[in-house]
Amino acid sequence: LISSCSKDNIPDIKYDAEPIEYDLTIQSTENEVYQEALQQLLNKYLPNALSTKDHASLPADLLARFQRIEEKMLKISDSLQISGVKCLSVIFNSTGVDKKLLKVSGKIYLPNQVAPIKGIIVANHVLITDNASAPSQSIQIESLFAFMGYVVVMSDYIGFGATVDLPQTFLAQEITAKSSIDLTLTTYKYLKEKGYKFQYPDNRVNIIGYSQGGAVALACQKMIESYYQKEFKIKKTYAGGAPYDLEYTFRQLLDDKKSGLPLPYIALAITSLNYGENLNVDISKYFKGKLLQNYEEWLYSKRYNSTQLEKLIGTSDIREILSDSALDYSGDLIKPFIRALKKNSLIEWVPKAPIYLYHSIQDEYIPVYNTQEAYESFKKHSSASIELDLGNYGYHVAAAFDFYFKVFEKI
C-alpha cells in the first residue's frame, strides 16, 4: 500500500492539450519593504473598495486583528531575516482555450531572506473587470504572505495583462486554473535553477482564493490531483465565498430576477463561458437594451471596474439586460450555458488534500448554499480533512477581509 502511494507509482495521466515548455520572461522587477507594501494595500483596499453597506458589516475587532497579524508577520520576517520582497512581473507559457500554447502574464512575490523558502502559495485573484486591477499591474493583498517566508504566485488569468485583447475566462474553471498551475511550475523550476533552497523537497503548496479565486483554488486542487500529482504536494486549500454549484446559482438568479450580485458579473458569466468553453453562440441574442448596444466596449475593453460598469448599465433588474429567451431556463437558447455551468461546477469530485471552506451567511453575491453543498459532498465522499467555517461575517466584500485574516492566522 505504501509503495502504491509513492510518487513513482502515481499514474502518469496527462492534461489534454499541446505540451508546453516552462519558460519565464521577467518584464519588470520591483523591491518592496513591509511598511511600504502595507501602506499601498491600505490605500488600495480601504476605504475605496468598500461601500457604506460594507463598512457597516465589517467586524468590530478588525483593527485589533490586523495588529495581531502584523505582529505575527514582523516576528516571522525577523526570524527569517527577510529584508524585503522582490516583485517580478512575468510572462510564462500556458494553455489557451484552443488547448494550444498561449503566453500569459502574472506576478511572483519573492522574499529576500537567508532561510530556505517555506513553500509556494498559489494565490488566485477575485473577479476583476479592468486590466489595471490585474496582479501584474497592481499590488495584491496576497503579497503579504511573502513577508512570512513564502513565494507567492498570481496569474492574471486569460484576458488580462499579456492577454488583455482576449475575453476573460470567468467561470471556465479548468482553463483558468491551468494558468495558475503553469505559473507555479514555471516559478518552481526558475527558483531551483537560481539556487534557491526550500524547507521541503516536494514543491509543497498552499492554494488560496476568495470569490472567483475561491472557485479557481478548488479547480487548481482538482486539476493537480488529476494530472500533476508528481509535481506538487498540496498542504491545504483555502477557499472562501465562491460559486461551486454554478447551475444552481445561475438558476436562482433567473428565477428570482433580482440579485445582490452586480449585473456586470452576470453579463460576464455569459461572455466568458462563451469564450472559455468555445460555445460560439450569438451573444446578441442574450442581451438587450444598453448592454446589447455596448457590451463589446464595456466587457471586452477592460477599461472599466465593476463600479463603473454598474453605473453604465444603470439598472439592478436582470430583466433589463437579458432577453426574454435568455431568462427562460427551460428554453433552447440557454441550454449551451447550462451544460457549461454543469461542467464547471466543483461539487462532484473527491478531494485528497485538506480544504478550508469559508462563507459568510450574509453574502449577498454568492448564495451560502454553494459552500454548504460542497462541504457535505466532500465530507461524504472524501477521507481528507474538510473544515467548514460559516458565520455572520458581513457582506461579500467585507467578508473577504475576515477570510484573509483567518488564512493569515492559520498559515
Side-chain angles (χ1 to χ4, degrees), residues 152-175:
V152 181
V153 299
M154 296 194 73
S155 168
D156 284 340
Y157 308 156
I158 295 173
F160 298 98
T163 59
V164 69
D165 292 333
L166 298 175
Q168 65 169 296
T169 55
F170 172 48
L171 299 185
Q173 315 287 30
E174 189 173 86
I175 198 66

Side-chain angles (χ1 to χ4, degrees), residues 72-304:
K72 175 182 178 180
M73 287 184 181
L74 290 174
K75 184 176 180 180
I76 293 172
S77 293
D78 290 343
S79 67
L80 297 176
Q81 299 180 33
I82 298 175
S83 59
V85 169
K86 187 180 295 183
C87 310
L88 308 179
S89 292
V90 300
I91 293 178
F92 59 97
N93 292 339
S94 190
T95 301
V97 299
D98 58 359
K99 299 296 182 73
K100 294 182 179 179
L101 174 68
L102 181 67
K103 296 283 187 179
V104 180
S105 53
K107 184 167 279 187
I108 303 169
Y109 294 98
L110 180 60
N112 296 320
Q113 65 186 56
V114 175
I117 300 295
K118 294 170 72 174
I120 295 178
I121 287 183
V122 186
N124 302 282
H125 68 74
V126 300
L127 175 61
I128 58 175
T129 61
D130 61 311
N131 193 56
S133 296
S136 66
Q137 309 297 312
S138 62
I139 190 170
Q140 307 290 320
I141 192 170
E142 294 88 348
S143 65
L144 294 181
F145 287 109
F147 291 96
M148 299 170 69
Y150 293 93
V151 171
V152 181
V153 299
M154 296 194 73
S155 168
D156 284 340
Y157 308 156
I158 295 173
F160 298 98
T163 59
V164 69
D165 292 333
L166 298 175
Q168 65 169 296
T169 55
F170 172 48
L171 299 185
Q173 315 287 30
E174 189 173 86
I175 198 66
T176 306
K178 180 68 161 54
S179 70
S180 291
I181 291 170
D182 287 335
L183 177 56
T184 307
L185 288 172
T186 304
T187 300
Y188 188 67
K189 177 176 179 257
Y190 168 80
L191 295 175
K192 283 289 191 179
E193 289 176 350
K194 293 295 183 180
Y196 283 87
K197 304 297 182 183
F198 286 78
Q199 280 190 12
Y200 308 99
D202 51 6
N203 193 8
R204 191 165 299 193
V205 299
N206 287 283
I207 309 172
I208 296 171
Y210 184 82
S211 195
Q212 179 193 6
V216 177
L218 283 194
C220 283
Q221 176 169 337
K222 181 180 178 182
M223 179 172 274
I224 288 171
E225 293 176 347
S226 298
Y227 304 110
Y228 299 96
Q229 294 183 67
K230 291 183 179 181
E231 289 87 354
F232 292 94
K233 171 69 174 179
I234 300 175
K235 185 176 180 182
K236 194 165 187 175
T237 295
Y238 301 83
Y244 309 122
D245 189 337
L246 300 184
E247 183 192 8
Y248 165 83
T249 302
F250 195 73
R251 182 165 189 166
Q252 187 178 60
L253 286 171
L254 297 187
D255 288 344
D256 293 347
K257 300 297 187 295
K258 290 189 177 181
S259 168
L261 184 69
L263 293 190
Y265 298 165
I266 297 174
L268 274 171
I270 292 175
T271 58
S272 299
L273 281 174
N274 184 46
Y275 174 70
E277 291 296 330
N278 294 299
L279 301 183
N280 299 314
V281 302
D282 182 356
I283 291 295
S284 66
K285 294 181 178 179
Y286 293 80
F287 296 155
K288 70 178 184 181
K290 290 196 298 182
L291 180 61
L292 174 59
Q293 299 168 6
N294 298 284
Y295 74 88
E296 291 184 336
E297 162 66 14
W298 292 352
L299 303 183
Y300 295 154
S301 72
K302 319 294 171 50
R303 292 173 52 197
Y304 309 98

